[in-house]
């Protein structure tokens, strides 16, 4: 979920990252613009079907630095690995519910992060006149997205108090 667009919309490159090399390795790097750092979108082009990273040895700094908050809690013994696995299953179920509702509302762009898809769908529906059925689906989608974000913030994102600010901000979530 850290790399498939569920938890994050994009990854920012850091000064030590070699953008040219990462682009050669297949990451669609968007060049730095103004005050915006170079970045690449999620879901990540290097994410393999088995959940591994194709570029693991060469992955960018933010990918190296990020530690899942839930994994850290489990490693510290503050939550059992069985309970952590159940939490992951719940988050995946919530993410799949968001995907189902996005598709029902006409967004089939599986190559974009959930946060970005939700944002675009919200803009589209709020700009037009959605029929009652679409309006009901959108209400369900908003609730499902809210629950997913809450789950992510509470259990998966690294708490700011325990990590340098750049570590939390580097993999960027929307909203
Ligand atoms: S480069 Fe690897 S670790 Fe970084 S987001 Fe992509 S798949 Fe994940």
């Amino acid at each position: 979920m850290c790399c498939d667009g569920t938890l994050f919309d994009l990854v920012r490159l850091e000064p030590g990252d070699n953008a040219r090399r990462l682009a050669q390795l297949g990451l669609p790097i968007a060049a730095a613009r103004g005050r915006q750092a170079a970045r690449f979108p999620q879901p990540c082009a290097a994410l393999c079907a088995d959940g591994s990273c194709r570029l693991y040895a060469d992955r960018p700094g933010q990918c190296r630095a990020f530690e899942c908050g839930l994994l850290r809690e489990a490693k510290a013994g503050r939550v059992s690995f069985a309970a952590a696995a159940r939490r992951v299953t719940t988050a995946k179920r919530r993410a799949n519910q968001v995907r189902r509702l996005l598709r029902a509302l006409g967004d089939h762009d599986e190559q974009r992060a959930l946060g970005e898809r939700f944002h675009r769908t919200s803009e589209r529906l709020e700009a037009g006149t959605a029929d009652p059925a679409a309006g009901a689906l959108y209400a369900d989608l908003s609730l499902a997205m809210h629950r997913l974000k809450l789950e992510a913030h509470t259990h998966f994102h690294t708490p700011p108090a325990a990590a340098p600010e750049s570590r939390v901000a580097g993999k960027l979530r929307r909203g």
Side-chain angles (χ1 to χ4, degrees):
M1 288 190 293
C2 302
C3 309
D4 74 355
T6 297
L7 297 180
F8 300 101
D9 288 4
L10 58 88
V11 178
R12 291 186 181 121
L13 298 193
E14 295 185 321
D17 292 324
N18 185 334
R20 183 187 296 253
R21 165 91 177 132
L22 290 168
Q24 285 170 347
L25 290 170
L27 290 183
I29 305 291
R33 230 183 15 190
R35 295 175 61 189
Q36 283 193 342
R39 56 193 54 207
F40 61 96
Q42 307 279 277
C44 185
L47 180 62
C48 301
D50 65 359
S52 63
C53 171
R54 183 170 53 77
L55 309 180
Y56 194 74
D58 296 298
R59 67 198 187 285
Q62 287 292 343
C63 302
R64 292 176 187 277
F66 177 74
E67 183 181 21
C68 167
L70 184 59
L71 177 59
R72 192 177 57 194
E73 292 297 292
K75 286 199 294 196
R78 289 189 284 270
V79 59
S80 71
F81 278 93
R86 285 195 295 276
R87 181 68 65 190
V88 170
T89 300
T90 298
K92 286 184 171 177
R93 193 174 63 239
R94 293 200 194 290
N96 284 333
Q97 185 188 14
V98 168
R99 290 188 180 93
R100 272 196 304 277
L101 288 164
L102 283 166
R103 283 195 291 271
L105 284 163
D107 183 328
H108 299 268
D109 197 352
E110 307 290 341
Q111 298 309 310
R112 290 186 188 271
L114 290 185
E116 186 179 352
R117 292 174 67 188
F118 175 70
H119 184 70
R120 290 195 321 179
T121 296
S122 298
E123 282 189 340
R124 176 167 53 85
L125 292 175
E126 287 170 10
T129 48
D131 62 49
L137 282 173
Y138 180 50
D140 289 345
L141 172 64
S142 299
L143 188 58
M145 194 68 199
H146 172 74
R147 285 182 170 145
L148 177 62
K149 280 183 181 177
L150 193 61
E151 188 85 14
H153 281 286
T154 306
H155 298 290
F156 294 94
H157 294 158
T158 307
E165 188 182 351
S166 61
R167 182 177 303 179
V168 177
K171 284 191 124 197
L172 186 73
R173 63 256 186 191
R174 190 183 290 279

